[in-house]
Amino acid sequence: MSRSEKFSTTRRDLLQAAAGAGAATALLGGLGTSAALAAEVGRSEKPLKAAFSNAGLQATWCAQGKQAAEWWGKLFNVEVTWFDGQLDAVKQRAAIDNMASQKWDFVAIQAFGIGTLTQPVQKMIDAGTPVIDMDTLIAPLDQIKVHSFLAPDNEFMGASVTQALVSALGGKGKVIMTQGALGHTGAQGRAKGFNSVVKQYPNIEVLDTQPADWDVSKTARLWETYLTKYPQIDAAFFHNDDMALAAYNIMKAHNRTNILIGGVDAMPPAIQAVSEGRMFATVRNPSCRIHGGAIVAGVAAVVGGEKSGQGIPKSVVTDGPVVTKANATGMQWMEDHFLI
């Protein structure tokens, strides 16, 4: 039996064990959650209907988030319907317009770009539907009354990986940042973190900071150009691991694997790449914690009557650590079980 098959079997066994109303409570208790809280946000007696959307399932982070939402949804008796953003603001807007035309117990959304979904989201809020904002702002929190905003500290993530790269270079060298979509508030935070570190090192030269919009094909084209244009590149910071690994393949084809690579998300292929030395470091953007947390937040709102800003803060920071060889295997285990 392969590793993935074993984990699938484990999940099936847990789901069968969760058939009773007390199973989710027992699971939460095992995760260190208080018994009172577990009872309050326990499995719903009646099936709940939730709508989810994230930036685009082509991105491995988003695909993992979908798996986590469905996994936690089954534990809490929530039927999850997915509206794929397709890494396109126009397509995601059409999907959310469709979502807003239907009735849901709660919804959770990661916007491809800030301000692109405000109108249909406001329509759902006005109808009394709790809307959980995931990872990137739908709109500034003082402009839209989302139930809560579950997101990592993107500036921290950008700064921590950049610092790891700069420290490995001894504070001097030539670096490139490949950004995600410029309208994505997570990408904006990661760029801010990158810049906050490099400005402290006068001997670090930033060669380029073009965006690749989370697109691996665009990343590959950019890096074909960079490797021709720049005879010396010492390190590269990518706003997600998918782009980092796409660029590594181009570097390998050009025999330029001496470039230190840092990414964001700590997805399983990147964890393996860090373990094997193909990537220097990544940082965990906890898709499982964010998407699973949105399930818990939605159930707590509907079943437990939890209110925004009272039972749950308006903004919840869901950080993960920098991932190096030292903690890579433990991080992989937690992701396999949708814990981080």
Side-chain angles (χ1 to χ4, degrees), residues 151-206:
D153 183 337
N154 283 284
E155 188 173 345
F156 158 77
M157 293 198 298
S160 60
V161 174
T162 304
Q163 185 63 62
L165 293 171
V166 170
S167 296
L169 295 178
K172 62 179 181 178
K174 299 177 186 293
V175 303
I176 288 175
M177 172 172 62
T178 299
Q179 301 190 68
L182 295 182
H184 184 284
T185 58
Q188 293 166 8
R190 293 167 208 183
K192 189 175 180 181
F194 171 86
N195 290 323
S196 72
V197 172
V198 297
K199 73 179 183 182
Q200 300 175 45
Y201 295 88
N203 293 320
I204 290 290
E205 179 184 353
V206 180

Side-chain angles (χ1 to χ4, degrees), residues 210-324:
Q210 289 186 64
D213 302 325
W214 318 116
D215 187 318
V216 294
S217 297
K218 186 171 183 178
T219 302
R221 291 194 297 272
L222 275 178
W223 274 86
E224 285 282 1
T225 301
Y226 293 156
L227 294 174
T228 301
K229 184 177 181 180
Y230 302 115
Q232 179 187 344
I233 305 171
D234 298 301
F237 169 55
F238 297 84
H239 282 192
N240 77 358
D241 295 329
D242 292 354
M243 296 190 297
L245 292 171
Y248 172 81
N249 291 333
I250 304 302
M251 295 174 195
K252 184 177 180 181
H254 287 264
N255 197 28
R256 297 280 294 275
T257 55
N258 61 318
I259 300 170
L260 292 181
I261 297 175
V264 173
D265 288 342
M267 295 298 296
I271 293 174
Q272 184 176 356
V274 168
S275 297
E276 295 172 356
R278 288 178 285 120
M279 285 180 65
F280 181 72
T282 183
V283 61
R284 180 59 179 160
N285 181 6
S287 61
C288 302
R289 182 179 287 171
I290 291 169
H291 288 78
I295 291 285
V296 175
V299 172
V302 176
V303 176
E306 199 167 78
K307 302 298 183 184
S308 177
Q310 297 174 22
I312 187 170
K314 194 71 174 177
S315 181
V316 178
V317 177
T318 56
D319 273 341
V322 174
V323 179
T324 63

Side-chain angles (χ1 to χ4, degrees), residues 48-73:
L48 300 180
K49 294 175 66 66
F52 272 65
S53 178
N54 56 23
L57 297 176
Q58 304 100 303
T60 60
W61 187 90
C62 293
Q64 185 187 60
K66 180 176 185 287
Q67 289 181 312
E70 291 168 346
W71 161 241
W72 285 95

